Amino acid sequence: MIAEIIAVGSEMLTPHRQDTNSLYLTDGLNDLGVQVAFKTIVGDNLSHLTSAASIAIARADIVLFSGGLGPTEDDLTREAAAAALNIELHSNPAILTQLYKRFAARQMVMPPNNAKQADVLDGAILLENSNGSAPASSSTPLSSTPLASPSARSSSSSPAHPKS
């Protein structure tokens, strides 16, 4: 079984950030006996990300996206994965409720753009994220298993706790 990791974010293409998430994920996948055959870094561009996702789905058994699940306009992992898989996104009411509760617990009003984090791939299995607000998800088409996750850990070169 082979895997591909797609690290998402234009900041990852600058000299100011290192992609330590892929190293962390590779270590975990290798511990499970999964060989990481490809690593790709893609900026915040829907067309480029969709293309990278389509290529990865065609050549790897497991595709793991890291990043791009946040609430901002340039967080496009969900949209690209849906386009590459030719499936729709839908808003998950339970996740949306959790988001509102998360903000309320901090005595904050949730900005409207955070509702985007409740959008999930049709038929996806949701994976809880206890370290942030964006849930991970798994979708299993015939040829590959794409997984979209928030950043696995900090983008700095020093060890850090997982973040969204």
Side-chain angles (χ1 to χ4, degrees):
M1 182 174 290
I2 64 167
E4 178 161 352
I5 297 169
I6 300 176
V8 180
S10 294
E11 70 279 4
M12 303 307 292
L13 296 169
T14 72
H16 308 293
R17 285 288 180 99
Q18 278 187 298
D19 174 26
T20 57
N21 290 334
S22 291
L23 300 174
Y24 177 80
L25 295 169
T26 298
D27 187 46
L29 288 166
N30 289 166
D31 285 348
L32 296 172
V34 177
Q35 174 194 358
V36 176
F38 306 97
K39 291 182 185 178
T40 305
I41 298 174
V42 183
D44 299 313
N45 177 291
L46 184 59
S47 175
H48 297 167
L49 189 51
T50 301
S51 177
S54 295
I55 291 167
I57 289 166
R59 68 183 180 188
D61 302 303
I62 298 171
V63 178
L64 183 65
F65 296 85
S66 177
L69 294 176
T72 63
E73 290 180 15
D74 66 348
D75 288 314
L76 301 168
T77 297
R78 286 176 289 266
E79 292 83 350
L85 293 167
N86 198 29
I87 59 176
E88 298 292 321
L89 291 170
H90 70 276
S91 182
N92 182 299
I95 295 172
L96 190 57
T97 299
Q98 288 174 345
L99 288 169
Y100 278 110
K101 286 180 179 180
R102 182 181 176 94
F103 277 87
R106 293 174 173 80
Q107 298 180 336
M108 299 170 61
V109 175
M110 185 177 89
N113 60 313
N114 280 78
K116 175 181 179 179
Q117 293 181 297
D119 292 345
V120 298
L121 298 168
D122 283 349
I125 298 166
L126 299 179
L127 309 170
E128 184 179 342
N129 174 7
S130 59
N131 296 305
S133 56
S137 62
S138 172
S139 178
T140 307
L142 297 176
S143 63
S144 192
T145 303
L147 301 170
S149 77
S151 296
R153 55 185 277 177
S154 170
S155 299
S156 70
S157 58
S158 62
H161 297 290
K163 64 173 194 148
S164 65

